[in-house]
PDB file of all heavy atoms in Angstrom:
ATOM      1  N   VAL Z  22      -3.389   1.153 -10.074  1.00 86.00           N
ATOM      2  CA  VAL Z  22      -3.080   0.821  -8.700  1.00 86.00           C
ATOM      3  C   VAL Z  22      -2.856  -0.669  -8.573  1.00 86.00           C
ATOM      4  O   VAL Z  22      -1.960  -1.123  -7.816  1.00 86.00           O
ATOM      5  CB  VAL Z  22      -4.245   1.318  -7.778  1.00 86.00           C
ATOM      6  CG1 VAL Z  22      -3.931   0.855  -6.340  1.00 86.00           C
ATOM      7  CG2 VAL Z  22      -4.380   2.784  -7.844  1.00 86.00           C
ATOM      8  N   GLY Z  23      -3.641  -1.466  -9.225  1.00 83.00           N
ATOM      9  CA  GLY Z  23      -3.520  -2.929  -9.127  1.00 83.00           C
ATOM     10  C   GLY Z  23      -3.937  -3.477  -7.808  1.00 83.00           C
ATOM     11  O   GLY Z  23      -3.155  -4.125  -7.070  1.00 83.00           O
ATOM     12  N   VAL Z  24      -5.173  -3.186  -7.398  1.00 81.00           N
ATOM     13  CA  VAL Z  24      -5.678  -3.670  -6.131  1.00 81.00           C
ATOM     14  C   VAL Z  24      -5.593  -5.179  -6.075  1.00 81.00           C
ATOM     15  O   VAL Z  24      -6.125  -5.828  -7.002  1.00 81.00           O
ATOM     16  CB  VAL Z  24      -7.155  -3.159  -5.923  1.00 81.00           C
ATOM     17  CG1 VAL Z  24      -7.658  -3.679  -4.562  1.00 81.00           C
ATOM     18  CG2 VAL Z  24      -7.214  -1.674  -5.981  1.00 81.00           C
ATOM     19  N   PRO Z  25      -5.007  -5.775  -5.049  1.00 82.00           N
ATOM     20  CA  PRO Z  25      -4.825  -7.214  -4.991  1.00 82.00           C
ATOM     21  C   PRO Z  25      -6.142  -7.936  -4.585  1.00 82.00           C
ATOM     22  O   PRO Z  25      -7.084  -7.300  -4.137  1.00 82.00           O
ATOM     23  CB  PRO Z  25      -3.800  -7.403  -3.898  1.00 82.00           C
ATOM     24  CG  PRO Z  25      -3.979  -6.230  -2.997  1.00 82.00           C
ATOM     25  CD  PRO Z  25      -4.398  -5.103  -3.891  1.00 82.00           C
ATOM     26  N   SER Z  26      -6.161  -9.236  -4.822  1.00 79.00           N
ATOM     27  CA  SER Z  26      -7.321 -10.018  -4.398  1.00 79.00           C
ATOM     28  C   SER Z  26      -7.243 -10.214  -2.911  1.00 79.00           C
ATOM     29  O   SER Z  26      -6.194 -10.046  -2.260  1.00 79.00           O
ATOM     30  CB  SER Z  26      -7.275 -11.403  -5.057  1.00 79.00           C
ATOM     31  OG  SER Z  26      -6.053 -12.075  -4.780  1.00 79.00           O
ATOM     32  N   ILE Z  27      -8.413 -10.433  -2.287  1.00 81.00           N
ATOM     33  CA  ILE Z  27      -8.509 -10.540  -0.857  1.00 81.00           C
ATOM     34  C   ILE Z  27      -9.138 -11.884  -0.478  1.00 81.00           C
ATOM     35  O   ILE Z  27     -10.254 -12.215  -0.954  1.00 81.00           O
ATOM     36  CB  ILE Z  27      -9.358  -9.412  -0.250  1.00 81.00           C
ATOM     37  CG1 ILE Z  27      -8.722  -8.061  -0.534  1.00 81.00           C
ATOM     38  CG2 ILE Z  27      -9.511  -9.566   1.283  1.00 81.00           C
ATOM     39  CD1 ILE Z  27      -9.508  -6.850  -0.045  1.00 81.00           C
ATOM     40  N   GLY Z  28      -8.494 -12.664   0.387  1.00 77.00           N
ATOM     41  CA  GLY Z  28      -9.032 -13.898   0.861  1.00 77.00           C
ATOM     42  C   GLY Z  28     -10.034 -13.685   1.982  1.00 77.00           C
ATOM     43  O   GLY Z  28      -9.743 -12.954   2.908  1.00 77.00           O
ATOM     44  N   MET Z  29     -11.198 -14.310   1.828  1.00 71.00           N
ATOM     45  CA  MET Z  29     -12.208 -14.165   2.844  1.00 71.00           C
ATOM     46  C   MET Z  29     -12.480 -15.435   3.563  1.00 71.00           C
ATOM     47  O   MET Z  29     -13.566 -15.651   4.134  1.00 71.00           O
ATOM     48  CB  MET Z  29     -13.551 -13.701   2.123  1.00 71.00           C
ATOM     49  CG  MET Z  29     -13.378 -12.391   1.347  1.00 71.00           C
ATOM     50  SD  MET Z  29     -13.143 -10.976   2.383  1.00 71.00           S
ATOM     51  CE  MET Z  29     -14.718 -10.829   3.140  1.00 71.00           C
ATOM     52  N   GLY Z  30     -11.558 -16.349   3.611  1.00 69.00           N
ATOM     53  CA  GLY Z  30     -11.732 -17.641   4.253  1.00 69.00           C
ATOM     54  C   GLY Z  30     -12.403 -18.624   3.339  1.00 69.00           C
ATOM     55  O   GLY Z  30     -11.714 -19.429   2.705  1.00 69.00           O
ATOM     56  N   VAL Z  31     -13.740 -18.561   3.211  1.00 72.00           N
ATOM     57  CA  VAL Z  31     -14.466 -19.511   2.406  1.00 72.00           C
ATOM     58  C   VAL Z  31     -14.404 -19.100   0.942  1.00 72.00           C
ATOM     59  O   VAL Z  31     -14.687 -19.868   0.020  1.00 72.00           O
ATOM     60  CB  VAL Z  31     -15.940 -19.602   2.826  1.00 72.00           C
ATOM     61  CG1 VAL Z  31     -16.012 -20.221   4.206  1.00 72.00           C
ATOM     62  CG2 VAL Z  31     -16.640 -18.238   2.835  1.00 72.00           C
ATOM     63  N   ALA Z  32     -14.080 -17.844   0.630  1.00 73.00           N
ATOM     64  CA  ALA Z  32     -14.032 -17.378  -0.741  1.00 73.00           C
ATOM     65  C   ALA Z  32     -12.922 -16.325  -0.915  1.00 73.00           C
ATOM     66  O   ALA Z  32     -12.427 -15.804   0.115  1.00 73.00           O
ATOM     67  CB  ALA Z  32     -15.360 -16.767  -1.125  1.00 73.00           C
ATOM     68  N   THR Z  33     -12.578 -16.043  -2.100  1.00 75.00           N
ATOM     69  CA  THR Z  33     -11.545 -15.054  -2.369  1.00 75.00           C
ATOM     70  C   THR Z  33     -12.127 -14.011  -3.353  1.00 75.00           C
ATOM     71  O   THR Z  33     -12.732 -14.367  -4.376  1.00 75.00           O
ATOM     72  CB  THR Z  33     -10.279 -15.668  -3.040  1.00 75.00           C
ATOM     73  OG1 THR Z  33      -9.754 -16.656  -2.149  1.00 75.00           O
ATOM     74  CG2 THR Z  33      -9.242 -14.612  -3.358  1.00 75.00           C
ATOM     75  N   LEU Z  34     -12.014 -12.772  -2.989  1.00 79.00           N
ATOM     76  CA  LEU Z  34     -12.391 -11.688  -3.869  1.00 79.00           C
ATOM     77  C   LEU Z  34     -11.305 -11.334  -4.831  1.00 79.00           C
ATOM     78  O   LEU Z  34     -10.168 -11.031  -4.435  1.00 79.00           O
ATOM     79  CB  LEU Z  34     -12.751 -10.411  -3.070  1.00 79.00           C
ATOM     80  CG  LEU Z  34     -13.894 -10.574  -2.078  1.00 79.00           C
ATOM     81  CD1 LEU Z  34     -14.100  -9.221  -1.325  1.00 79.00           C
ATOM     82  CD2 LEU Z  34     -15.138 -11.027  -2.717  1.00 79.00           C
ATOM     83  N   SER Z  35     -11.540 -11.463  -6.141  1.00 81.00           N
ATOM     84  CA  SER Z  35     -10.587 -11.211  -7.135  1.00 81.00           C
ATOM     85  C   SER Z  35     -10.144  -9.735  -7.142  1.00 81.00           C
ATOM     86  O   SER Z  35     -10.866  -8.870  -6.558  1.00 81.00           O
ATOM     87  CB  SER Z  35     -11.082 -11.565  -8.521  1.00 81.00           C
ATOM     88  OG  SER Z  35     -12.177 -10.680  -8.934  1.00 81.00           O
ATOM     89  N   GLY Z  36      -9.042  -9.447  -7.840  1.00 83.00           N
ATOM     90  CA  GLY Z  36      -8.610  -8.060  -7.920  1.00 83.00           C
ATOM     91  C   GLY Z  36      -9.657  -7.187  -8.579  1.00 83.00           C
ATOM     92  O   GLY Z  36      -9.772  -5.984  -8.229  1.00 83.00           O
ATOM     93  N   ALA Z  37     -10.397  -7.734  -9.550  1.00 86.00           N
ATOM     94  CA  ALA Z  37     -11.414  -6.954 -10.242  1.00 86.00           C
ATOM     95  C   ALA Z  37     -12.538  -6.517  -9.317  1.00 86.00           C
ATOM     96  O   ALA Z  37     -13.044  -5.460  -9.314  1.00 86.00           O
ATOM     97  CB  ALA Z  37     -11.941  -7.703 -11.427  1.00 86.00           C
ATOM     98  N   VAL Z  38     -12.921  -7.551  -8.430  1.00 87.00           N
ATOM     99  CA  VAL Z  38     -14.012  -7.264  -7.513  1.00 87.00           C
ATOM    100  C   VAL Z  38     -13.595  -6.231  -6.477  1.00 87.00           C
ATOM    101  O   VAL Z  38     -14.371  -5.312  -6.199  1.00 87.00           O
ATOM    102  CB  VAL Z  38     -14.464  -8.568  -6.820  1.00 87.00           C
ATOM    103  CG1 VAL Z  38     -15.478  -8.308  -5.755  1.00 87.00           C
ATOM    104  CG2 VAL Z  38     -15.110  -9.532  -7.860  1.00 87.00           C
ATOM    105  N   THR Z  39     -12.402  -6.401  -5.942  1.00 91.00           N
ATOM    106  CA  THR Z  39     -11.970  -5.427  -4.901  1.00 91.00           C
ATOM    107  C   THR Z  39     -11.759  -4.086  -5.537  1.00 91.00           C
ATOM    108  O   THR Z  39     -12.029  -2.998  -4.894  1.00 91.00           O
ATOM    109  CB  THR Z  39     -10.625  -5.890  -4.234  1.00 91.00           C
ATOM    110  OG1 THR Z  39      -9.664  -6.213  -5.264  1.00 91.00           O
ATOM    111  CG2 THR Z  39     -10.840  -7.129  -3.432  1.00 91.00           C
ATOM    112  N   SER Z  40     -11.278  -4.034  -6.769  1.00 91.00           N
ATOM    113  CA  SER Z  40     -11.167  -2.703  -7.457  1.00 91.00           C
ATOM    114  C   SER Z  40     -12.485  -2.064  -7.660  1.00 91.00           C
ATOM    115  O   SER Z  40     -12.668  -0.871  -7.439  1.00 91.00           O
ATOM    116  CB  SER Z  40     -10.464  -2.923  -8.773  1.00 91.00           C
ATOM    117  OG  SER Z  40      -9.116  -3.380  -8.659  1.00 91.00           O
ATOM    118  N   ALA Z  41     -13.518  -2.847  -7.986  1.00 92.00           N
ATOM    119  CA  ALA Z  41     -14.841  -2.339  -8.187  1.00 92.00           C
ATOM    120  C   ALA Z  41     -15.420  -1.833  -6.907  1.00 92.00           C
ATOM    121  O   ALA Z  41     -16.040  -0.747  -6.885  1.00 92.00           O
ATOM    122  CB  ALA Z  41     -15.739  -3.412  -8.802  1.00 92.00           C
ATOM    123  N   ILE Z  42     -15.236  -2.601  -5.834  1.00 93.00           N
ATOM    124  CA  ILE Z  42     -15.780  -2.162  -4.506  1.00 93.00           C
ATOM    125  C   ILE Z  42     -15.114  -0.872  -4.064  1.00 93.00           C
ATOM    126  O   ILE Z  42     -15.787   0.050  -3.565  1.00 93.00           O
ATOM    127  CB  ILE Z  42     -15.567  -3.261  -3.472  1.00 93.00           C
ATOM    128  CG1 ILE Z  42     -16.510  -4.457  -3.822  1.00 93.00           C
ATOM    129  CG2 ILE Z  42     -15.885  -2.787  -2.092  1.00 93.00           C
ATOM    130  CD1 ILE Z  42     -16.245  -5.706  -2.916  1.00 93.00           C
ATOM    131  N   LEU Z  43     -13.796  -0.778  -4.207  1.00 94.00           N
ATOM    132  CA  LEU Z  43     -13.121   0.418  -3.769  1.00 94.00           C
ATOM    133  C   LEU Z  43     -13.443   1.587  -4.680  1.00 94.00           C
ATOM    134  O   LEU Z  43     -13.672   2.716  -4.168  1.00 94.00           O
ATOM    135  CB  LEU Z  43     -11.593   0.193  -3.829  1.00 94.00           C
ATOM    136  CG  LEU Z  43     -11.026  -0.639  -2.639  1.00 94.00           C
ATOM    137  CD1 LEU Z  43      -9.476  -0.852  -2.806  1.00 94.00           C
ATOM    138  CD2 LEU Z  43     -11.287   0.036  -1.289  1.00 94.00           C
ATOM    139  N   GLY Z  44     -13.499   1.364  -5.957  1.00 94.00           N
ATOM    140  CA  GLY Z  44     -13.835   2.471  -6.880  1.00 94.00           C
ATOM    141  C   GLY Z  44     -15.268   2.988  -6.628  1.00 94.00           C
ATOM    142  O   GLY Z  44     -15.432   4.177  -6.490  1.00 94.00           O
ATOM    143  N   LEU Z  45     -16.219   2.080  -6.588  1.00 95.00           N
ATOM    144  CA  LEU Z  45     -17.570   2.508  -6.366  1.00 95.00           C
ATOM    145  C   LEU Z  45     -17.729   3.065  -4.914  1.00 95.00           C
ATOM    146  O   LEU Z  45     -18.424   4.041  -4.693  1.00 95.00           O
ATOM    147  CB  LEU Z  45     -18.529   1.290  -6.480  1.00 95.00           C
ATOM    148  CG  LEU Z  45     -18.747   0.765  -7.937  1.00 95.00           C
ATOM    149  CD1 LEU Z  45     -19.411  -0.593  -7.847  1.00 95.00           C
ATOM    150  CD2 LEU Z  45     -19.629   1.729  -8.673  1.00 95.00           C
ATOM    151  N   GLY Z  46     -17.023   2.485  -3.983  1.00 95.00           N
ATOM    152  CA  GLY Z  46     -17.091   2.913  -2.552  1.00 95.00           C
ATOM    153  C   GLY Z  46     -16.551   4.297  -2.338  1.00 95.00           C
ATOM    154  O   GLY Z  46     -17.173   5.125  -1.690  1.00 95.00           O
ATOM    155  N   LEU Z  47     -15.394   4.578  -2.932  1.00 95.00           N
ATOM    156  CA  LEU Z  47     -14.820   5.905  -2.762  1.00 95.00           C
ATOM    157  C   LEU Z  47     -15.615   6.964  -3.514  1.00 95.00           C
ATOM    158  O   LEU Z  47     -15.747   8.070  -2.959  1.00 95.00           O
ATOM    159  CB  LEU Z  47     -13.363   5.907  -3.236  1.00 95.00           C
ATOM    160  CG  LEU Z  47     -12.357   5.084  -2.447  1.00 95.00           C
ATOM    161  CD1 LEU Z  47     -10.982   5.092  -3.101  1.00 95.00           C
ATOM    162  CD2 LEU Z  47     -12.275   5.588  -1.055  1.00 95.00           C
ATOM    163  N   ARG Z  48     -16.133   6.630  -4.613  1.00 95.00           N
ATOM    164  CA  ARG Z  48     -17.007   7.594  -5.354  1.00 95.00           C
ATOM    165  C   ARG Z  48     -18.233   7.861  -4.513  1.00 95.00           C
ATOM    166  O   ARG Z  48     -18.690   8.984  -4.401  1.00 95.00           O
ATOM    167  CB  ARG Z  48     -17.347   7.024  -6.713  1.00 95.00           C
ATOM    168  CG  ARG Z  48     -18.389   7.815  -7.475  1.00 95.00           C
ATOM    169  CD  ARG Z  48     -17.850   9.219  -7.902  1.00 95.00           C
ATOM    170  NE  ARG Z  48     -18.819   9.931  -8.724  1.00 95.00           N
ATOM    171  CZ  ARG Z  48     -18.856   9.845 -10.027  1.00 95.00           C
ATOM    172  NH1 ARG Z  48     -17.900   9.144 -10.652  1.00 95.00           N
ATOM    173  NH2 ARG Z  48     -19.708  10.514 -10.724  1.00 95.00           N
ATOM    174  N   SER Z  49     -18.799   6.765  -3.938  1.00 95.00           N
ATOM    175  CA  SER Z  49     -19.971   6.960  -3.083  1.00 95.00           C
ATOM    176  C   SER Z  49     -19.656   7.728  -1.859  1.00 95.00           C
ATOM    177  O   SER Z  49     -20.440   8.560  -1.382  1.00 95.00           O
ATOM    178  CB  SER Z  49     -20.577   5.565  -2.685  1.00 95.00           C
ATOM    179  OG  SER Z  49     -21.692   5.718  -1.852  1.00 95.00           O
ATOM    180  N   ALA Z  50     -18.465   7.522  -1.289  1.00 96.00           N
ATOM    181  CA  ALA Z  50     -18.061   8.274  -0.083  1.00 96.00           C
ATOM    182  C   ALA Z  50     -18.039   9.749  -0.341  1.00 96.00           C
ATOM    183  O   ALA Z  50     -18.391  10.578   0.546  1.00 96.00           O
ATOM    184  CB  ALA Z  50     -16.689   7.789   0.356  1.00 96.00           C
ATOM    185  N   ALA Z  51     -17.605  10.145  -1.581  1.00 95.00           N
ATOM    186  CA  ALA Z  51     -17.550  11.581  -1.872  1.00 95.00           C
ATOM    187  C   ALA Z  51     -18.947  12.220  -1.821  1.00 95.00           C
ATOM    188  O   ALA Z  51     -19.093  13.373  -1.449  1.00 95.00           O
ATOM    189  CB  ALA Z  51     -16.933  11.748  -3.270  1.00 95.00           C
ATOM    190  N   TYR Z  52     -19.927  11.447  -2.232  1.00 95.00           N
ATOM    191  CA  TYR Z  52     -21.342  11.952  -2.229  1.00 95.00           C
ATOM    192  C   TYR Z  52     -21.939  11.802  -0.860  1.00 95.00           C
ATOM    193  O   TYR Z  52     -22.657  12.666  -0.336  1.00 95.00           O
ATOM    194  CB  TYR Z  52     -22.166  11.253  -3.284  1.00 95.00           C
ATOM    195  CG  TYR Z  52     -21.913  11.746  -4.697  1.00 95.00           C
ATOM    196  CD1 TYR Z  52     -21.020  11.016  -5.524  1.00 95.00           C
ATOM    197  CD2 TYR Z  52     -22.432  12.928  -5.086  1.00 95.00           C
ATOM    198  CE1 TYR Z  52     -20.725  11.479  -6.803  1.00 95.00           C
ATOM    199  CE2 TYR Z  52     -22.131  13.414  -6.410  1.00 95.00           C
ATOM    200  CZ  TYR Z  52     -21.287  12.652  -7.210  1.00 95.00           C
ATOM    201  OH  TYR Z  52     -20.990  13.127  -8.512  1.00 95.00           O
TER     202      TYR Z  52
END
């Protein structure tokens, strides 16, 4: 998918971090 990085103003979440959050989050959502 290539999840892009997200700017948070004071910090930027890298693509790896956003991918991890979405992957873990969607898996958690299923449960």
Side-chain angles (χ1 to χ4, degrees):
V22 177
V24 179
S26 58
I27 299 177
M29 303 291 290
V31 295
T33 300
L34 299 180
S35 67
V38 172
T39 53
S40 296
I42 292 173
L43 284 178
L45 289 166
L47 291 177
R48 173 64 175 269
S49 179
Y52 286 99

